């Protein structure tokens, strides 16, 4: 029972936390709902194991209802979470060509690691995605959740490991699926983007069935979806190289057929007797002779950037079932099943499909030219045959199955129990087109290079060839390409088995403020991860590619306790503690965590709250068991470019020997890694002066230690250059690491780069979150509901190594491009059978491209800040009848595009915007219909 002197706060927060109920009752007289609002049923909300009224919480929980998801134009669960004001950090996504997880979706809360979020479905952990984020970190893919079957999403910011265990550092996301509906619901949605691409359709069906005299109840649901890709060629900003480059520079065409002078700054040697005429049909007829100032001539195209995807195509289907059976008056058996299958396709573009002599030979000597040269050529869509054949394909299947029983121990007992067994598994098959090393080299040896004629006269190290250059500048047939290419398939898998028992007493004993509550939970289980690349990726049969391998499993256990004490009417104290243990390979890692919370209500409309605790992230199985894996890639040798007079912002003019350096890299797991530890605390206030208005503000603090550091290759090369050039202290941890991880030969060229994982980094973060809700009755004009959410990161400091200076991630664009603040707001109006919503998403200022290139940041030539960025969605809903609703949704109404920074990027850029923070998709339209039938049957 909620006491009457808290009524304004209770009503205001109940309206904020239960928007679906508020919407359904919006046409009822105010006095009709008031008596019911005095007593709020106790339920379990994310942030506590003890049932309680939703307003009684010492941590802020943001609840996004199914109605919010639909009205605000969100396409999927990933959309919902990535638009949250908490998601201030940029992440890799479908625009990240060549990324390790281009087919998956994730998010960063408060700019922290994507792996620091604990994802739950109905309070149970989600299965981890088998592939590794950025090639090194385990994370969750949030794209395979049936959005039409979601009841609500609860987002709890801050460290929560004392209740939810490992990973819950940045926050917890709990996705609650529907448990019952009245009758059946059939929904359909179609739409696409105004500029083309991305046409999609989705259909879902859910129904409730029951039997055994009402003792057995089951909800069955299914959702299927198909979406076309968005190609870069369908957007002006990405269809060709940057036409609005810095200093008015002309766009620089791709080097599709190029001969490089190895000993002359990798300048171009043009030896095509036909002046690229034999290649004129390539890339849609755009291939031709190109010239680059100070470099020379070559064959290329301005339009090759258009041959990659900006948004993946996807075919997916999910099946969901929730079933309960009343065993007796005190016990209920239940089962939950969620099955998901996804087929995702994307294309990284032609610059990831190429051949050259540098990989096999380093260089060759042409006695007719008297030079060391390298051939380099791309493969055009006309050679591949069907460019869609070059799409990467990710086929995944996952499931989560839970069987359990819950109830009350006896008729005169206050103890409830819940015992369950859950298994989750995620399987992924990644398929991509690749070149067969032996066959592609043999093809060009036979047709272009000819027989080897000894070794070069200067170094006696490079083979001598007299190539047929006319043959080099010739398109191959699709049949020939089929003979030198293949498809490689890598398989990966994760699983998690969990046996869990929880006992809860909501009335343990009486205190002046009410009944004390207690919960105790114990769980045990096993976890496994494996990644098996195509064998040809590891034995050298594939040209220019290698694979990541690894396998590991472990057992785990945990004990959790929570106590809630209403000391007196105005003050409630909460405490929780958890002990986690992990056993693998004869070793054990354990970690205790705790949290203390306070709620104080000095008067009826004000709540003061606070929390102090700890959180952690256990080493992932990939962190520990990833095998030694090599990879070939391309990067910029900033040091050699600087020696030639080209700073980090001028690498486009640096010789391609260094600006497009090919290197071999290697990384592996570390079984000796320890848990990442965090101290977290927060405090806040909720003010509800009337039942129609509430505002809350909370301060959050993280102090994270023992983080696993794995440098970005580009960042590592920038660091090394700045160390060698004296811009960073030579004895700093960054410089010492760079000098040992980057191996150069006696000529100063990079031979290899090693990436290590070690517990060494730390970061601190302070943030403020503000939420407000206001409901206004307009009489005969209907009802207006306003809501807003704002997040401001106040401090974010990062230190990768103990001897490094502390980096300010909010003010130093060299280290982070995340916005300091982010906000969202919605305005919903309803009257009779009409309802409409406007939803705005706001991203604060971010660095421009130039500011990210040098440690001097904004002081670097051309460095600066971009203004804020806002997009607006709108929807109109009409209830044709009590059973049928139709909706029109427009996303990005103003067709906002991230074209504000093109003059900061060079003419070599194919994507002149920060794809971690923005997308170039533009305005989209959708039509949706929802039909309910069979109610009351």
């Amino acid at each position: 029972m909620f006491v009457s002197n808290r009524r304004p706060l209770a009503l205001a927060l109940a309206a904020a936390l239960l928007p679906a109920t508020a919407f359904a009752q919006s046409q009822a007289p105010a006095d009709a709902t008031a008596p019911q609002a005095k007593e709020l049923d106790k339920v379990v909300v994310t942030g506590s194991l003890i049932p309680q009224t939703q307003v009684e919480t010492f941590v802020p929980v943001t609840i996004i209802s199914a109605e919010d998801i639909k009205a605000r134009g969100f396409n999927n669960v990933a959309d919902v979470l990535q638009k949250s004001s908490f998601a201030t950090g940029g992440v890799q996504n479908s625009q990240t060509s060549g990324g390790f997880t281009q087919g998956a979706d994730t998010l960063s809360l408060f700019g922290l690691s994507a792996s620091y979020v604990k994802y739950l479905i109905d309070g149970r952990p989600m299965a981890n995605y088998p592939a590794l984020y950025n090639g090194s970190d385990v994370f969750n893919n949030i794209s395979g959740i049936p959005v039409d079957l979601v009841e609500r999403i609860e987002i709890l910011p801050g460290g929560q490991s004392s209740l939810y265990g490992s990973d819950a550092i940045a926050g917890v996301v709990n996705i609650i699926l529907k448990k019952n509906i009245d009758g059946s619901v059939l929904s359909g949605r179609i739409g696409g983007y105004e500029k083309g691409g991305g046409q999609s359709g989705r259909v879902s069906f859910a129904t409730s069935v029951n039997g055994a005299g009402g003792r057995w109840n089951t909800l069955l649901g299914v959702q299927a979806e198909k979406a076309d890709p968005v190609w870069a060629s369908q957007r002006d900003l990405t269809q060709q190289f940057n036409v609005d480059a810095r200093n008015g520079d002309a766009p620089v065409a791709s080097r599709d057929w190029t001969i490089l002078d190895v000993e002359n700054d990798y300048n171009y040697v043009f030896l095509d007797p036909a002046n690229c005429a034999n290649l004129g049909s390539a890339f849609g007829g755009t291939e031709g002779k190109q010239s680059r100032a100070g470099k020379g001539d070559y064959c290329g195209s301005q339009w090759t950037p258009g041959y990659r995807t900006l948004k993946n195509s996807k075919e997916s289907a999910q099946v969901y079932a929730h079933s309960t059976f009343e065993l007796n008056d005190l016990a209920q058996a239940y089962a939950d099943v969620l099955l998901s299958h996804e087929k995702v396709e994307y294309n990284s573009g032609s610059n990831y499909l190429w051949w050259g002599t540098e990989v096999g030979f380093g260089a060759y000597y042409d006695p007719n030219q008297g030079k060391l040269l390298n051939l380099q050529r791309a493969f055009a869509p006309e050679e591949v045959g069907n460019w869609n054949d070059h799409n990467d394909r990710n086929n995944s299947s996952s499931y989560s199955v839970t069987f359990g029983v819950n109830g009350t121990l006896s008729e005169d007992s206050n103890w409830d129990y819940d015992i369950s067994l859950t298994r989750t598994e995620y399987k992924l098959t990644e398929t991509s087109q690749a070149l067969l090393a032996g066959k592609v080299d043999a093809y060009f040896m036979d047709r272009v290079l000819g027989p080897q004629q000894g070794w070069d006269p200067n170094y006696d190290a490079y083979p001598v060839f007299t190539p047929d250059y006319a043959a080099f500048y010739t398109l191959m047939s699709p049949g020939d390409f089929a003979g030198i290419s293949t498809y490689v398939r890598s398989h990966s898998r994760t699983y998690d088995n969990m046996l869990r028992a929880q006992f809860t007493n909501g009335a343990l004993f009486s205190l002046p403020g009410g009944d004390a509550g207690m919960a105790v939970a114990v769980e045990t289980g096993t976890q496994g991860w494996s990644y098996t690349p195509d064998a040809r990726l590891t034995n050298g049969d594939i040209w220019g590619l290698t694979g990541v391998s690894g396998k590991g499993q472990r057992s785990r256990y945990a004990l959790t306790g929570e106590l809630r004490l209403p000391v007196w009417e105005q003050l409630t104290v909460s405490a929780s503690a958890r002990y986690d243990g992990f056993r693998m390979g004869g070793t054990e890692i354990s970690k205790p965590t705790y949290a203390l919370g306070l709620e104080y209500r000095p008067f009826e409309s004000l709540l003061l709250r606070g929390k102090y605790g700890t959180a952690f992230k256990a080493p992932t199985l990939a962190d520990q068991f990833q095998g030694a894996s090599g990879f070939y890639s391309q990067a910029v040798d900033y040091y050699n470019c600087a020696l030639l007079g080209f700073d980090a912002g001028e690498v486009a003019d640096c010789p391609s020997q260094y600006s497009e350096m090919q290197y071999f890299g290697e990384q592996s797991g570390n079984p000796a890694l320890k848990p990442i530890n965090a101290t977290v605390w927060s405090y806040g206030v909720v003010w509800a002066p009337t039942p129609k208005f509430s505002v809350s503000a909370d301060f959050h603090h993280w102090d994270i230690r023992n983080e696993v550091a794995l440098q970005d290759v580009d960042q590592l090369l920038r660091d090394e250059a700045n160390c060698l050039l004296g811009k960073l202290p030579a004895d700093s941890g960054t410089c010492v690491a760079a000098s040992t991880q980057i191996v150069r030969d006696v000529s100063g060229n990079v031979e290899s780069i090693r990436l290590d994982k070690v517990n060494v980094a730390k970061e601190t973060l302070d943030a403020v979150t503000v939420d407000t809700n206001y409901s206004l009755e307009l009489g005969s004009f209907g009802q207006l509901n306003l809501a807003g959410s704002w997040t401001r990161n106040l401090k974010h400091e990062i230190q990768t190594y103990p001897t490094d200076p502390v980096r300010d991630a909010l003010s130093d664009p060299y280290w982070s491009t995340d916005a300091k603040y982010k906000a969202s707001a919605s305005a919903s109006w309803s009257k009779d059978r009409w309802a409409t919503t406007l939803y705005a998403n706001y991203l604060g200022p971010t660095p421009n491209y130039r500011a990210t290139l040098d440690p001097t940041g904004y002081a670097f030539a051309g460095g600066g800040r971009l203004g804020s960025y806002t997009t607006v969605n709108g929807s109109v809903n009409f209830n044709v009848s009590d059973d049928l609703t139709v909706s029109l949704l427009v996303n990005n109404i103003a067709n906002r595009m991230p074209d504000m920074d093109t003059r900061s990027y060079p003419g070599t850029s194919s994507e002149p915007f920060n794809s971690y923070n923005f997308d170039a998709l533009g305005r989209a339209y959708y039509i949706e219909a929802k039909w309910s039938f069979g109610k009351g049957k």
Side-chain angles (χ1 to χ4, degrees):
M1 177 76 69
F2 208 57
V3 294
S4 59
N5 69 343
R6 299 182 193 174
R7 181 171 170 274
L9 180 60
L11 288 175
L13 294 186
L17 295 176
L18 299 173
T21 302
F23 181 82
Q25 296 177 348
S26 61
Q27 301 304 313
D31 58 355
T33 59
Q36 296 178 3
K38 290 181 181 179
E39 294 189 26
L40 302 179
D41 290 337
K42 290 191 174 185
V43 296
V44 175
V45 180
T46 308
S48 178
L49 305 179
I50 303 171
Q52 56 194 280
T53 52
Q54 293 192 7
V55 294
E56 293 182 345
T57 174
F58 60 92
V59 288
V61 181
T62 295
I63 298 181
I64 304 169
S65 70
E67 287 73 18
D68 293 332
I69 294 172
K70 175 182 176 181
R72 296 174 183 179
F74 298 133
N75 290 315
N76 46 53
V77 170
D79 230 6
V80 177
L81 297 174
Q82 289 167 356
K83 298 299 184 185
S84 162
S85 67
F86 302 139
T88 61
V91 292
Q92 293 180 1
N93 51 62
S94 60
Q95 299 179 122
T96 312
S97 292
F100 290 89
T101 52
Q102 195 171 337
D105 291 311
T106 189
L107 83 157
S108 163
L109 294 182
F110 302 98
L112 294 172
S113 168
S115 67
Y116 286 0
V117 182
K118 185 78 168 186
Y119 293 94
L120 311 172
I121 296 182
D122 291 327
R124 306 180 193 103
M126 284 179 59
N128 287 325
Y129 192 63
L132 304 180
Y133 183 81
N134 211 25
S136 63
D137 210 353
V138 171
F139 73 109
N140 292 101
N141 178 18
I142 52 178
S143 72
I145 301 168
V147 67
D148 282 350
L149 302 176
V150 171
E151 179 69 25
R152 67 184 185 275
I153 298 175
E154 300 175 351
I155 306 175
L156 176 61
Q160 311 296 335
S161 291
S162 64
L163 290 178
Y164 301 107
S166 178
D167 305 343
I169 293 179
V172 173
V173 174
N174 192 8
I175 300 162
I176 311 297
L177 301 179
K178 297 181 184 296
K179 299 299 180 290
N180 58 75
I181 59 173
D182 187 5
S184 303
V185 177
L186 177 65
S187 297
R189 173 171 169 154
I190 59 172
Y193 290 91
E194 181 179 289
K195 292 291 186 179
Q199 289 80 13
S200 65
R202 184 176 74 221
V203 62
S204 65
F205 175 75
T207 187
S208 289
V209 296
N210 56 71
R215 296 170 60 197
W216 171 65
N217 293 275
T218 297
L219 183 144
L220 298 173
V222 61
Q223 176 179 298
E225 184 174 10
K226 185 179 187 300
D228 293 336
V230 175
W231 290 88
S233 60
Q234 296 173 305
R235 298 296 182 269
D236 293 342
L237 193 59
T238 56
Q239 65 181 349
Q240 65 179 105
F241 289 99
N242 187 12
V243 298
D244 195 23
R246 176 172 168 79
N247 296 326
D249 292 344
V252 179
S254 55
R255 294 181 299 120
D256 301 324
W257 277 264
T258 312
I259 302 175
L260 305 170
D261 188 341
V262 175
E263 294 183 295
N264 185 24
D265 291 339
Y266 270 56
N267 287 332
Y268 310 151
V269 178
F270 189 74
L271 299 173
D272 184 6
N275 283 322
C276 305
N278 294 331
L279 304 172
S281 62
F283 294 102
T286 64
E287 192 76 14
K289 186 176 181 179
Q290 309 287 342
S291 182
R292 186 171 176 182
K295 299 296 295 181
D297 298 336
Y298 61 99
C299 299
S301 169
Q302 295 283 356
W303 301 91
T304 53
Y307 288 86
R308 68 182 184 95
T309 53
L310 299 178
K311 184 176 177 62
N312 304 335
S313 72
K314 183 169 75 170
E315 297 178 13
S316 66
Q318 291 87 30
V319 177
Y320 167 66
H322 170 74
S323 186
T324 62
F325 183 79
E326 303 294 335
L327 299 173
N328 53 49
D329 292 342
L330 299 176
Q332 172 186 261
Y334 64 91
D336 289 299
V337 177
L338 178 61
L339 311 176
S340 178
H341 178 77
E342 285 191 312
K343 178 183 177 182
V344 177
E345 292 193 15
Y346 53 90
N347 198 305
S348 297
S350 62
N351 56 327
Y352 286 89
L353 184 63
W354 65 283
W355 175 87
T357 54
E358 182 176 5
V359 172
F361 305 122
Y364 71 90
Y365 181 78
D366 183 345
N368 294 330
Q369 301 296 322
K371 298 175 182 290
L372 283 177
L373 302 174
N374 265 322
L375 303 178
Q376 180 177 296
R377 61 105 78 199
F379 293 95
E382 291 77 9
E383 296 176 294
V384 174
N386 182 350
W387 190 239
N388 287 329
D389 290 343
H390 184 53
N391 289 352
D392 289 280
R393 296 174 176 85
N394 291 355
N395 284 278
S396 63
S397 297
S398 64
Y399 68 83
S400 175
V401 179
T402 298
F403 296 99
V405 59
N406 58 28
T408 303
L409 291 179
S410 65
E411 291 184 357
D412 57 351
S413 174
N414 292 325
W415 284 97
D416 297 329
Y417 65 90
D418 189 335
I419 302 173
S420 63
L421 176 64
T422 300
R423 176 175 172 84
T424 63
E425 185 172 14
Y426 208 132
K427 292 183 178 180
L428 172 67
T429 299
E430 299 167 285
T431 303
S432 58
Q433 194 173 45
L435 301 175
L436 291 163
K439 291 188 176 182
V440 69
D441 285 338
Y443 179 92
F444 287 105
M445 286 285 290
D446 292 342
R447 291 167 173 78
V448 177
L449 292 172
Q452 182 177 340
Q453 301 167 21
W455 300 96
D456 74 280
N458 299 320
Y459 305 100
D460 195 31
Y462 299 100
V464 175
F465 296 109
T466 54
D468 180 350
Y469 290 109
F472 172 68
Y473 292 100
T474 303
L475 292 175
M476 69 167 55
S477 70
D480 285 344
F481 182 81
I484 64 171
S485 63
T486 187
Y487 290 94
V488 293
R489 293 176 177 83
S490 298
H491 304 278
S492 53
R493 169 178 175 254
T494 63
Y495 69 84
D496 191 305
N497 301 312
M498 180 177 70
L499 176 63
R500 189 175 193 276
Q502 178 176 316
F503 297 89
T504 307
N505 191 327
L508 188 64
F509 53 83
S510 296
L511 288 171
D515 292 332
M518 181 179 183
V520 177
V522 60
E523 57 189 62
T524 184
T526 57
Q527 299 173 323
W529 168 79
S530 64
Y531 196 100
T532 306
D534 192 305
R536 295 171 296 176
L537 288 169
T538 57
N539 64 15
D541 286 348
I542 299 301
W543 191 91
L545 295 174
T546 185
V548 177
S549 63
K551 181 178 181 180
Q553 61 183 9
R554 65 189 179 194
S555 62
R556 70 174 190 88
Y557 61 91
L559 176 64
T560 307
E562 182 184 8
L563 190 62
R564 182 175 177 81
L565 304 172
V567 180
W568 66 80
E569 189 174 313
Q570 287 79 22
L571 179 65
T572 299
V573 179
S574 298
S576 60
R578 178 173 169 126
Y579 187 87
D580 285 89
F582 302 85
R583 293 172 178 164
M584 58 280 173
T587 63
E588 180 169 344
I589 295 174
S590 60
K591 181 64 182 177
T593 52
Y594 67 90
L596 298 172
L598 294 176
E599 304 162 29
Y600 177 59
R601 295 173 174 84
F603 48 88
E604 63 181 25
S605 62
L606 187 66
L607 166 64
L608 304 177
R609 59 191 177 195
K611 175 189 173 183
Y612 182 90
T614 57
F616 84 107
K617 176 178 174 62
T620 67
L621 291 169
D623 284 338
Q624 295 180 304
F625 297 109
Q626 180 179 335
S629 55
F631 58 92
Y632 294 97
S633 191
Q634 178 178 294
V636 177
D637 186 344
Y638 291 97
Y639 175 62
N640 273 316
C641 284
L643 293 181
L644 295 175
F646 303 101
D647 65 25
E650 299 170 331
V651 294
D653 299 321
C654 180
S656 56
Q657 175 186 5
Y658 304 122
S659 63
E660 298 177 9
M661 172 191 68
Q662 304 294 322
Y663 73 91
F664 175 76
E666 185 176 76
Q667 65 183 43
S668 62
N670 181 358
L673 289 174
K674 303 299 182 183
I676 299 170
N677 303 316
T679 300
V680 294
W681 49 268
S682 64
Y683 57 85
V685 58
V686 183
W687 181 50
T690 74
K692 300 292 186 180
F693 173 75
S694 69
V695 61
S696 65
D698 291 272
F699 177 87
H700 308 269
H701 171 80
W702 291 263
D703 185 0
I704 308 172
R705 304 299 174 102
N706 231 29
E707 289 185 294
V708 177
L710 181 68
Q711 298 97 332
D712 173 81
V713 170
D714 186 73
Q715 186 72 54
L716 188 62
L717 285 163
R718 292 189 199 187
D719 290 341
E720 185 222 23
N722 288 315
C723 293
L724 295 175
L725 295 170
K727 294 184 178 181
L728 294 175
D731 58 352
S732 68
T734 292
C735 291
V736 172
S739 65
T740 58
Q741 291 177 242
I742 298 176
V743 178
R744 293 181 179 271
D745 60 23
V746 293
S747 301
N749 296 317
V750 173
E751 285 189 341
S752 64
I753 301 175
R754 190 192 78 248
L755 303 178
D756 294 329
K757 294 182 178 182
V758 290
N759 287 114
V760 66
K762 65 179 181 179
E763 61 183 312
T764 58
L765 173 67
D766 292 334
V768 170
T769 58
V770 177
D771 289 274
T772 184
N773 291 274
Y774 179 59
S775 179
L776 178 63
E777 294 286 352
L778 302 175
S780 61
F781 293 98
Q783 178 171 316
L784 179 66
N785 293 305
L786 305 175
S789 178
W790 179 78
T791 296
R792 173 67 154 89
N793 285 352
L794 302 174
K795 181 177 78 170
H796 192 180
E797 296 180 341
I798 300 171
Q799 188 178 35
T800 306
Y801 289 91
T803 56
D804 282 355
V806 175
R807 309 295 181 184
D808 183 351
L810 299 182
S811 301
D812 188 344
Y814 183 67
W815 294 93
S816 173
T817 62
D818 292 344
K820 290 183 180 180
Y821 46 90
K822 187 176 181 181
S824 62
S826 67
S828 298
W829 171 81
S830 60
K831 184 182 184 304
D832 300 329
R833 293 191 291 173
W834 290 93
T836 184
T837 297
L838 284 177
Y839 171 79
N841 192 262
Y842 171 91
L843 185 70
T846 54
N848 72 356
Y849 172 72
R850 294 282 299 178
T852 68
L853 298 176
D854 190 86
T856 57
Y858 294 115
F860 186 61
R865 290 180 173 85
L866 304 176
S868 59
Y869 193 84
T870 302
T871 56
V872 178
N873 298 348
S875 67
V876 177
N877 304 302
F878 178 67
N879 295 324
V880 179
S881 67
D882 291 341
D883 299 325
L884 178 63
T885 301
V886 294
S887 306
L888 171 66
L889 305 98
V890 183
N891 289 353
N892 194 355
I893 293 174
N895 198 29
R896 187 75 192 271
M897 301 291 278
D899 55 2
M900 58 282 188
D901 196 28
T902 55
R903 292 183 182 275
S904 176
Y905 282 82
T908 54
S909 175
S910 60
E911 185 182 80
F913 63 93
N914 186 337
S915 61
Y916 279 52
N917 292 334
F918 311 104
D919 68 64
L921 300 177
R923 186 186 294 124
Y925 301 91
Y926 301 95
I927 297 175
E928 186 170 334
K930 180 180 179 181
W931 179 38
S932 302
F933 56 94
K935 293 181 179 180
K937 294 183 179 180

